[in-house]
């Protein structure tokens, strides 16, 4: 199983970006999916998460500006980021709790990071 994240880039303050993260390989079912971000020297922090049923949860810093969604048929999770601020500059990571084998517990998989840079 692999998670591939993409969509990062350079954007001006107030702009928007949409991150995508696709799961591939032996994916039987995906439970929770989430986006995190991490700055150098700091711990990775949760930005937003979404359950298999579509219930979303947001960090205070993201609420009202960022929106998480998923396409269960395509095994993709999205993060729509609006009203971006310089403090949103970070490396963003996706993760997913994936059932890859019947009879085994699910496992958390991480995608590679994608850099978001917001210029002032």
């Amino acid at each position: 199983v692999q998670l591939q994240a993409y969509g990062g880039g350079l954007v001006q303050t107030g702009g928007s970006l949409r991150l995508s993260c696709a799961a591939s390989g032996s994916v039987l079912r995906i439970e929770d999916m989430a986006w995190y971000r991490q700055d150098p020297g700091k711990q990775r922090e949760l930005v937003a998460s979404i359950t298999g049923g579509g219930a979303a949860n947001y960090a205070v810093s993201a609420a009202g500006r960022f929106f998480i969604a998923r396409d269960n048929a395509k095994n993709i999770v999205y993060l729509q980021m609006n009203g971006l601020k310089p403090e949103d500059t970070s490396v963003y990571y996706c993760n997913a709790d994936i059932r890859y084998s019947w009879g085994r517990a699910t496992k958390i998989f991480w995608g590679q990071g994608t850099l978001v840079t917001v210029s002032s």
Side-chain angles (χ1 to χ4, degrees), residues 71-107:
D71 184 330
N72 290 329
K74 296 180 179 179
N75 293 332
I76 296 177
V77 62
Y78 303 99
L79 184 68
Q80 177 67 41
M81 302 186 293
N82 302 322
L84 283 162
K85 306 174 182 179
E87 51 263 43
D88 294 318
T89 295
S90 189
V91 178
Y92 286 72
Y93 297 87
C94 60
N95 86 0
D97 187 12
I98 296 175
R99 186 171 300 280
Y100 62 96
S101 176
W102 296 119
R104 290 190 175 185
T106 60
K107 179 179 177 180

Side-chain angles (χ1 to χ4, degrees), residues 11-32:
V11 65
Q12 291 186 333
T13 295
S16 297
L17 277 177
R18 188 177 81 158
L19 305 182
S20 302
C21 176
S24 61
S26 301
V27 178
L28 299 179
R29 189 171 69 204
I30 303 178
E31 307 296 341
D32 294 355

